[in-house]
Amino acid sequence: MTSPAPASTSTPVPAPKLAVIGIDPGARWTAGVLRLGDHPVHGWTYGPVNRLGELDAAALDNPDDWAAFSRYASRVLDALGQLVTEAEQHHGAVRVAIEAMHVPVGWRSVGHGRYNRLPLADWLTPTRMVAAVLGAYPDARLVAPDNLGRRPADDYPRELRGARPADWGPGEARRGERDHERAAYDVAGLAAGMP
């Protein structure tokens, strides 16, 4: 006759946190942040380059310049692919999420024959980036815009304030802004709770 196993007195092991990569696509800069729970693990911000491969914020001004967008998307997708591989190696499963813009209201009449015009590239470039990410990661979660990254900087972890961590990827925003990375962090947080 065998005796029953003793009751365990250890505390239960919490379920592992889901690793999520949030992406904030912009008309000039696209940021990605790998988030594990509330901790931003790694991030980057990429901008467009000209035909010589030099960083050039104006490279995407012409929405008909598909070569310029292709260079931009290729850079972002390469960085995203590397981050997905790294996250899978260190954290197992990883979820990709991206902020997906709505059709802008800037094209609607504001009265008296006037229109509130939004530059076409400011909507088209991020929307194209969403399509590029979905092409590479069809299961990526889409997160609706909602002032992401706009909370006071002190509300974010220290990795997303001030100087960027030395081991993070490039931070190519012209004036070193961190708002796209904070928005990507928020995207990842919202996507972590999605089915």
Side-chain angles (χ1 to χ4, degrees):
M1 182 166 152
T2 60
S3 58
S8 174
T9 58
S10 64
T11 57
V13 176
K17 294 177 179 154
L18 177 64
V20 182
I21 299 170
I23 303 162
D24 177 55
R28 296 279 186 272
W29 319 108
T30 293
V33 169
L34 170 60
R35 180 174 172 164
L36 190 62
D38 289 336
H39 180 68
V41 176
H42 189 80
W44 39 255
T45 300
Y46 281 95
V49 293
N50 61 26
R51 285 176 289 181
L52 301 175
E54 300 163 337
L55 193 60
D56 183 355
L60 297 172
D61 285 352
N62 178 358
D64 290 325
D65 188 346
W66 283 96
F69 178 76
S70 179
R71 289 189 301 269
Y72 184 47
S74 180
R75 297 181 82 222
V76 170
L77 291 175
D78 286 349
L80 177 57
Q82 291 173 14
L83 193 52
V84 165
T85 299
E86 181 182 311
E88 288 173 340
Q89 290 171 350
H90 291 97
H91 307 291
V94 64
R95 176 176 289 173
V96 174
I98 188 166
E99 181 183 20
M101 281 37 82
H102 301 293
V103 175
V105 297
W107 293 94
R108 298 185 188 158
S109 172
V110 293
H112 305 292
R114 297 178 316 165
Y115 288 85
N116 181 10
R117 298 265 180 188
L118 172 73
L120 183 60
D122 287 358
W123 173 76
L124 191 56
T125 299
T127 301
R128 286 176 175 171
M129 189 60 73
V130 171
V133 168
L134 285 175
Y137 300 93
D139 294 333
R141 304 309 197 273
L142 300 178
V143 174
D146 188 18
N147 290 317
L148 304 171
R150 305 279 182 177
R151 291 181 283 139
D154 289 344
D155 288 356
Y156 290 93
R158 66 175 172 73
E159 293 88 350
L160 294 166
R161 294 181 273 135
R164 302 174 81 254
D167 60 341
W168 279 32
E172 296 180 345
R174 193 175 345 194
R175 290 179 299 277
E177 302 95 339
R178 305 295 308 281
D179 56 325
H180 282 290
E181 289 175 0
R182 287 192 286 266
Y185 174 84
D186 286 345
V187 167
L190 290 169
M194 294 178 168

